[in-house]
Amino acid sequence: MAVRLTLDTSVKYIKGIGEARAAAFSRLGVETVGDLLEFYPRGYEERGRIVPVADTLNGELCAVEITISETSAPRYIRGNLSVFRSKAADESGSMELVFFNTPFMAKSLAKGRRFRAYGRMKIGVRGREMVSPKLEPIVEGKTLPYYVPVYKLAVPLTQKNISSAVAEVLHLCDGIEEILPLEITQNMGLISRGEAIKLMHKPADKKELSLARKTLAFTELAVFRLALSGMRKNIHKEKAFPLKMANTGIKNFFSKLPFELTGAQKRSVKEIFADLEKGTPMARLLQGDVGSGKTAVAAAAIYLCVKNGFQACLMAPTEILAAQHKKTMDKFLSPFGIKTELLISGLPASEKRRVREGIKDGSVNLVVGTHALITDNTEFHKCALAVVDEQHRFGVRQRAALLQKSEIDGSRAHMLVMSATPIPRSLSLIIFGDLDVSFLDELPPGRQKIETKVVSGDDTEKVYSFIRKEIEKGGRAYIVCPLIEESESGDDDRRAAESYYKDITDGALKGIPAGLLHGRMKPAEKAAVMEDFAQGETKILVSTTVIEVGVDVPEATVMVIENAENFGLSQLHQLRGRIGRGKNRSVCVLVNRNGGSDGVERLRIMRDTCDGFKVAEADLERRGPGDFFGERQSGEFSFACAAIGDMSMLGETDLLVKQILADSENPVYTAVFQAADKFLERTGGGLTVN
């Protein structure tokens, strides 16, 4: 018997779903019909923008309307891997469609049939071709959608499964309640929430999509800003141990540093110390570009904490970065008798037990680690300062868990968050709205400016020659690839670290010791590879983006980024920051293979500036919907619709939040307060766990 669907009905009752697909939806956070309607596309394929075949560019993602002229029989090229080609054309020119492992499709591509084909155009020795394009038959009287939504997937769900399920329940959008009073949104030229959700899944054109997303983004930002006001309120209710500078020898600490602090570092230390002296928990972000000296500032705060008789902890997102911090902190702090230990999952069980015992009995003054710091079997003795590096890699819940573990007699640890990811100041108000912010906006004297070059894939031999010359002069080189291994189907021509490593060690750079590093390696293997590179046993490190953050090898003077067009600008800047750490000239080479005109323009931005905040502003201007930092930790907040381009709404949402708080008893605001409460509940209440 068919079940009458409501917003609260389980998705398993939607036609075509059932138990197995419902379980996959559950892994995506979708349990009910209402959840499904708010499971927005992660992007859209603009298939309605038709480009004449002759006008398409190499590497361009585009849609063409073509007629099939000839289809070859499938042939097997190795094992069970099959391939077939279809010739097609429009009035402007001809092209080929190439398909792997889909021999059954050959029959449907009969001569004379018309299709809309969407994919990435390649121009090579055979002319124009699309590999594995998405095809839609062109039928008289039937209008194809301009935008085709693309959803996040979980096995065994397909895009068609999700689109069909959404289509079954889209009519229920009419019953979705408003969060903000409709009068407010209408006065701003926005539409109802239900209508906006409907258009997110099925926009007719750019105007509809823009209006829908703007409506939902404004609501998200308003709820978020209201929730942040609750987070700050909670922070000021908490107690913390005040840390005093008297009798700590802090001046001696600064005098023993091997360098003079910059003005920005001195300003940040002053702000942090002022927070630490209070009886309420510090909640501060230390924001600085690569190489701006955040670790030295954090070390000063840790020194002050330990000399007040407390412990400190530093949590990093990767074991490589944690090990790097352990070494650096030892250099800063061990001369003053401060004992630092490393706690990561890659340690032997006996070593982990030893470190945890030291943390528990207080003999360890500073523990540096990864998520191992917040596991149940890690107990602190008396931790009064928690430092979190690269905050965007952790969710709000991880921060809250760390503070909860370090609670002492009802008092919470002070929290210092560090980030080298350049964030436009307007955006930091949203991402770190529950934190005060200190900016390190100047680099230490002597830091080398990195020269950035943009080259094409045809310049590979020149790049190899340059690497060899730099190594002969005493330098070392990173080579970053977007993939670990090549696609089995052969339809992805992005460079893979494993095959690249084999190519250069057997070919152009043979004889130069090289290492391979990627995320699938065991922690001990990764540590050994990095140590060999740091010590100069290897001169080239072929890697994925696992080296993006925190790796410090002053002798490295070359960074080659393959398929640079596939990376975000801020990520490219992070990778570039792995070089230029010594006294010698450093060069970053961005290899653009399939970027088209847009890719070329993006990489020019990287070539023309080394200022991370300018790069971030450029990223802010160019990006569409989505999270500035990519995927967040499971279970944490991320904006479903609000994008980095929506920061201009902040002023309006802040005014609205002030209006709501001033009239909080008004029943018209009940729904928005409930939404803010749900946010706080979902994220652990920001810096508190109730």
Side-chain angles (χ1 to χ4, degrees), residues 1-10 13-14 33 169 171-172:
M1 184 176 71
V3 174
R4 180 177 173 272
L5 298 177
T6 69
L7 295 175
D8 296 323
T9 305
S10 169
Y13 294 111
I14 299 174
V33 169
V169 298
H171 65 283
L172 294 174

Side-chain angles (χ1 to χ4, degrees), residues 2 63 72 103 105 124 127 203 223 251 260 376 471 505 613 621:
S72 64
M105 284 187 60
V223 169
K251 289 184 179 179
E260 175 75 17
D376 292 339
I471 290 172
T505 53
F613 288 97
E621 292 172 5

Side-chain angles (χ1 to χ4, degrees), residues 233-365:
K233 200 172 180 181
N234 286 342
I235 293 168
H236 294 308
K237 288 179 181 177
E238 299 289 342
K239 290 191 302 178
F241 287 101
L243 306 179
K244 302 301 182 183
M245 286 189 281
N247 303 316
T248 61
I250 188 66
K251 289 184 179 179
N252 189 36
F253 170 81
F254 288 120
S255 69
K256 293 289 178 62
L257 289 175
F259 47 79
E260 175 75 17
L261 292 181
T262 65
Q265 285 175 309
K266 291 176 181 177
R267 182 182 67 241
S268 296
V269 167
K270 186 177 180 180
E271 292 168 346
I272 290 166
F273 280 17
D275 286 349
L276 294 175
E277 288 186 299
K278 296 175 183 176
T280 54
M282 174 176 71
R284 182 168 290 275
L285 168 69
L286 182 60
Q287 170 70 56
D289 205 349
V290 174
S292 57
K294 295 177 297 300
T295 310
V297 173
I302 292 167
Y303 175 93
L304 187 67
C305 174
V306 174
K307 291 303 179 181
N308 271 264
F310 297 98
Q311 287 174 307
C313 63
L314 194 166
M315 187 162 72
T318 68
E319 296 194 355
I320 289 176
L321 182 52
Q324 182 75 50
H325 277 314
K326 164 66 166 62
K327 282 185 179 180
T328 305
M329 288 299 171
D330 266 337
K331 290 178 186 176
F332 285 135
L333 302 173
S334 61
F336 304 98
I338 294 175
K339 184 179 180 182
T340 302
E341 291 282 8
L342 180 68
L343 183 62
I344 56 178
S345 59
L347 291 176
S350 60
E351 181 71 0
K352 280 190 277 193
R353 278 196 301 272
R354 183 190 67 78
V355 173
R356 285 193 169 110
E357 285 171 5
I359 297 170
K360 187 176 180 179
D361 66 24
S363 60
V364 172
N365 305 124

Side-chain angles (χ1 to χ4, degrees), residues 69-118:
S69 57
E70 181 184 339
T71 297
S72 64
R75 61 186 180 87
Y76 289 88
I77 52 179
R78 66 175 184 269
N80 293 322
L81 181 62
S82 67
V83 62
F84 74 89
R85 294 174 174 271
S86 287
K87 293 182 179 179
D90 65 4
E91 292 181 354
S92 71
S94 61
M95 60 180 291
E96 283 193 342
L97 310 176
V98 185
F99 298 90
F100 292 92
N101 279 352
T102 51
F104 55 88
M105 284 187 60
K107 293 181 180 179
S108 64
L109 298 180
K111 183 177 180 179
R113 289 199 69 185
R114 297 188 67 223
F115 292 92
R116 182 168 76 178
Y118 181 82

Side-chain angles (χ1 to χ4, degrees), residues 37 94 109 177 223 333 358 372 382 393 441 536 577 658 686:
L37 289 173
S94 61
L109 298 180
E177 295 181 358
V223 169
L333 302 173
K382 208 174 181 183
R393 302 292 185 95
D441 48 11
K658 288 176 182 176

Side-chain angles (χ1 to χ4, degrees), residues 678-690:
K678 285 181 180 177
F679 172 86
L680 289 172
E681 181 182 340
R682 190 168 73 250
T683 60
L687 296 183
T688 64
V689 178
N690 299 317

